[in-house]
Amino acid sequence: MEWEFTPEQVVKGEVGYGLEGFRDDLAREVRDNMAGVPRAEQEQAFHVLYDLCHWLATGRDFEAFAAEFSESPLADAFLRTIRDPIAPNVEMLGAILQRLIMERVEAGLPLEQALNAAAEFHGATVRRHNPFASQAA
């Protein structure tokens, strides 16, 4: 994805770009790149891509993520193919997550509580916000 702003602007709060916007943009990119593919497969690809972006944006190891798909050569090949091209998405999601933490610290929470609150907010947003739910089948 490409944006007219930088991850640094998101971290600094200069741009109001959050989880829902990111998820909507990622879903749009998946739909555009998978035109003609059944919607269920598009949605499945979106969830895997988002999970990978989140995994990497939170500093975890790619190989550990890929290991979860080791029994599917196609899924493993897909992950390895998209690993480098999604780097800007990982960076932007990382910036969004940093902003979430910073907002909570700025509101007076100690860092550990801010981290937990941001993680809870992230989980709630992911459970609540499915960018494919509002799209026509």
Side-chain angles (χ1 to χ4, degrees):
M1 294 184 294
E2 293 184 23
W3 300 270
E4 294 181 8
F5 48 87
T6 67
E8 292 79 20
Q9 288 175 301
V10 172
V11 171
K12 292 178 182 177
E14 296 171 0
V15 176
Y17 186 61
L19 284 174
E20 288 185 6
F22 179 86
R23 289 171 60 79
D24 288 340
D25 288 346
L26 184 61
R28 188 175 307 107
E29 185 173 55
V30 167
R31 285 191 296 271
D32 290 349
N33 288 324
M34 296 181 73
V37 174
R39 177 183 159 157
E41 290 177 33
Q42 291 178 8
E43 189 169 357
Q44 183 178 21
F46 162 79
H47 289 295
V48 170
L49 281 170
Y50 182 81
D51 288 348
L52 177 58
C53 286
H54 183 263
W55 184 271
L56 296 174
T58 54
R60 293 179 276 182
D61 180 61
F62 173 81
E63 293 301 331
F65 186 89
E68 296 295 319
F69 296 87
S70 63
E71 300 213 3
S72 170
L74 183 60
D76 186 66
F78 171 71
L79 291 172
R80 292 179 190 289
T81 300
I82 63 161
R83 180 182 183 181
D84 291 335
I86 67 161
N89 298 2
V90 171
E91 184 180 6
M92 185 60 75
L93 182 55
I96 291 166
L97 297 172
Q98 286 177 46
R99 184 73 218 149
L100 289 173
I101 295 163
M102 289 175 62
E103 286 171 352
R104 282 144 182 82
V105 168
E106 290 166 357
L109 287 179
L111 181 58
E112 189 68 30
Q113 287 180 1
L115 289 168
N116 291 336
E120 289 174 16
F121 178 84
H122 173 264
T125 300
V126 168
R127 285 187 299 276
R128 170 181 53 74
H129 180 260
N130 178 356
F132 280 83
S134 62
Q135 298 296 316

